[in-house]
Amino acid sequence: MRSLSHPGRDQLDLPAVLYALSDPTRLEIVRRLAADGERACGTFGLPATKATLSHHFKVLREAGLIQTRVEGVHRYNSLRKQDLDARFPGLLKAVLKASGPC
Amino acid sequence: MRSLSHPGRDQLDLPAVLYALSDPTRLEIVRRLAADGERACGTFGLPATKATLSHHFKVLREAGLIQTRVEGVHRYNSLRKQDLDARFPGLLKAVLKASGPC
DNA sequence: TCTATTGTTTGACAACAATCGAACGATAGG
DNA sequence: CCTATCGTTCGATTGTTGTCAAACAATAGA
């Protein structure tokens, strides 16, 4: 796999974004990306197999919440904060705040 | 059915709220309640059967997004704006804004 | 009491989603 | 070239969800 597809800023769909955030594991991934910035997939230490985590990253990516950069054998994920803020002002901030202290 | 159960303000669960909002029909219901205030179930004119709509109202109610007041043969639904704002500040506003002009 | 209205519940079905183990692919380092 | 590492994909399983028609319950009005 050479490049991963991400939806454009204008293609972000609110229901899809809310759905992606409605899973506790995915919400936790987003919280950590918001707190720590770019991270590789394997560094989250979440209680799930790599197959399951790969699935969650895919859901987040296809909803436009994160972007994944391939570098060597790693995939570095980061929050698409600018795109999300542009399209859905205040949403990310409210969700992060509501999800508890960082 | 005499009374409908609603979760308390302290029991509102963010993933459940986000999930409830991630369905286009339910999001539309919330938007109309936000715009028009209290409304009976049958006044939404949405493209679904009454059984389906009843299901969506139930999901919204059990997630704590709306409250339902029984009066005669009608059930009047309203947004739990105060509870939502207290528990998840800014979330409802951001979602409504993101879901398009009212 | 009979009937129309309003909404819920039940039962069914197809579609989707979360999860896992196993197989696979790509890359870096010996 | 061989091997270890990182992550994706496949196949299967299990459970959830959206949808509808039909039956039901509660109320209001004639």
Side-chain angles (χ1 to χ4, degrees):
Chain A
M1 180 183 297
R2 205 85 283 280
S3 63
L4 299 169
S5 76
H6 300 83
R9 175 184 287 190
D10 298 341
Q11 294 168 303
L12 299 186
D13 178 61
L14 181 60
V17 166
L18 295 175
Y19 179 78
L21 290 170
S22 74
D23 178 273
T25 299
R26 291 194 292 260
L27 184 55
E28 180 62 24
I29 290 171
V30 168
R31 294 186 68 219
R32 296 195 192 183
L33 289 178
D36 305 348
E38 194 177 57
R39 296 181 64 168
C41 296
T43 67
F44 286 81
L46 291 167
T49 66
K50 57 184 183 171
T52 299
L53 290 179
S54 186
H55 163 70
H56 286 312
F57 282 110
K58 184 179 181 181
V59 172
L60 288 169
R61 192 186 313 122
E62 292 182 344
L65 276 157
I66 66 175
Q67 56 195 158
T68 305
R69 179 173 65 82
V70 180
E71 185 177 313
V73 84
H74 297 276
R75 277 95 206 275
Y76 291 98
N77 300 286
S78 55
L79 253 189
R80 292 179 62 181
K81 188 168 180 352
Q82 287 192 335
D83 288 332
L84 291 166
D85 286 345
R87 192 82 169 66
F88 310 127
L91 180 62
L92 186 59
K93 185 179 172 186
V95 169
L96 291 172
K97 186 174 180 181
S99 69
C102 299
Chain B
M1 179 181 299
R2 205 85 282 281
S3 63
L4 299 168
S5 77
H6 300 84
R9 175 184 288 190
D10 298 341
Q11 294 167 300
L12 298 186
D13 179 62
L14 181 61
V17 166
L18 295 175
Y19 179 78
L21 290 170
S22 73
D23 179 273
T25 299
R26 292 195 291 263
L27 184 55
E28 181 61 25
I29 291 172
V30 167
R31 293 186 69 219
R32 296 197 190 183
L33 290 177
D36 305 349
E38 195 179 55
R39 298 182 64 166
C41 297
T43 67
F44 286 81
L46 293 166
T49 66
K50 56 184 182 171
T52 299
L53 291 178
S54 186
H55 162 71
H56 286 313
F57 281 110
K58 184 178 182 183
V59 172
L60 288 169
R61 191 186 312 121
E62 294 183 342
L65 277 157
I66 66 174
Q67 57 195 156
T68 306
R69 179 174 65 83
V70 180
E71 186 177 313
V73 83
H74 296 277
R75 277 95 206 275
Y76 290 98
N77 300 287
S78 55
L79 252 189
R80 293 179 62 181
K81 188 168 177 359
Q82 287 191 336
D83 289 333
L84 291 166
D85 285 346
R87 192 82 169 67
F88 309 126
L91 180 61
L92 186 58
K93 185 179 172 187
V95 168
L96 290 172
K97 186 173 181 181
S99 69
C102 297

